[in-house]
Amino acid sequence: MKRIVLFSLLLIFATTSTLAQEVQLPYPSTAALSYEKHKIYCEGNHISKRDCQAFLQLNAQEDIYRQYRSGLRMYNAGWGLLGTGLTLDAFAIGLTIGLCASVEQQDPECPTMGPGLAIILISVPVGAAGLACNIAGIPLVCVGKKRMQQSIDAYNISLPETQTAQNYWSIQPSSNGIGLAYHF
């Protein structure tokens, strides 16, 4: 018994110590993010939504990170509701088919509830619950995606602008002779 307790304590310690390690991403803190075709890219490399959240947590301002995190939560909740709704709708269709098939095999001498009433009492509420989940999930997915895009845009705007070339004056020949040119 002591060995089992000791082993479980070591397993818990090893798990929590690996989870508590700081997230290190291979991208520099000044890397720009882009959002194209429902995918997030950092310096041309596709990254997951979770990696983007970790990147913004390390490199972005707190409000930008919170906006992305809330958008990701809404996005995931919306897809969860859509999956639940589709599952309930499929279950309601299966119930309807099963009830209709059992009505055809019913003994005419056995008094039971009518087939229409059974379908209404069982299948319709399940289908309505699925439809309600689908209706609630669609706006959550859209709003969550929009918040994630806005936070990525806000992060890119907050990056310091880097100049690749210095502004300078030079003397250059032109079609009219020699002139002073300003390069920017």
Side-chain angles (χ1 to χ4, degrees), residues 11 19 30-31 36 55 64 71-72 75 77 88 100-101 105 111 130 137 145 156 175 181 184:
L11 185 63
L19 291 176
T30 58
E36 300 171 9
F55 179 81
I64 294 173
L72 183 62
Y75 183 80
L88 287 173
C100 289
Q105 298 174 357
K145 188 184 340 176
N156 287 336
S175 60
F184 54 94

Side-chain angles (χ1 to χ4, degrees), residues 39-74:
K39 293 183 181 179
I40 301 171
Y41 295 95
C42 182
E43 292 187 343
N45 298 324
H46 174 262
I47 61 173
S48 68
K49 290 175 177 51
R50 289 281 177 197
D51 287 343
C52 182
Q53 180 179 354
F55 179 81
L56 289 175
Q57 183 179 12
L58 293 174
N59 300 320
Q61 298 168 357
E62 184 66 26
D63 58 336
I64 294 173
Y65 166 68
R66 275 190 270 130
Q67 182 182 9
Y68 183 85
R69 187 180 65 191
S70 72
L72 183 62
R73 286 180 180 172
M74 288 178 78

Side-chain angles (χ1 to χ4, degrees), residues 35-38 67-68 142-155:
Y35 197 93
E36 300 171 9
K37 296 182 182 178
H38 310 293
Q67 182 182 9
Y68 183 85
C142 295
V143 170
K145 188 184 340 176
K146 185 72 171 175
R147 280 190 183 177
M148 288 189 300
Q149 288 175 345
Q150 288 174 346
S151 65
I152 288 173
D153 291 340
Y155 169 74

Side-chain angles (χ1 to χ4, degrees), residues 94-142:
L95 277 175
T96 304
I97 291 171
L99 286 173
C100 289
S102 68
V103 168
E104 293 175 0
Q105 298 174 357
Q106 187 177 4
D107 185 17
E109 296 177 5
C110 180
T112 60
M113 162 172 52
L117 187 60
I119 292 172
I120 290 172
L121 289 177
I122 298 172
S123 298
V124 171
V126 174
L131 182 64
C133 287
N134 289 337
I135 289 172
I138 291 171
L140 283 176
V141 169
C142 295

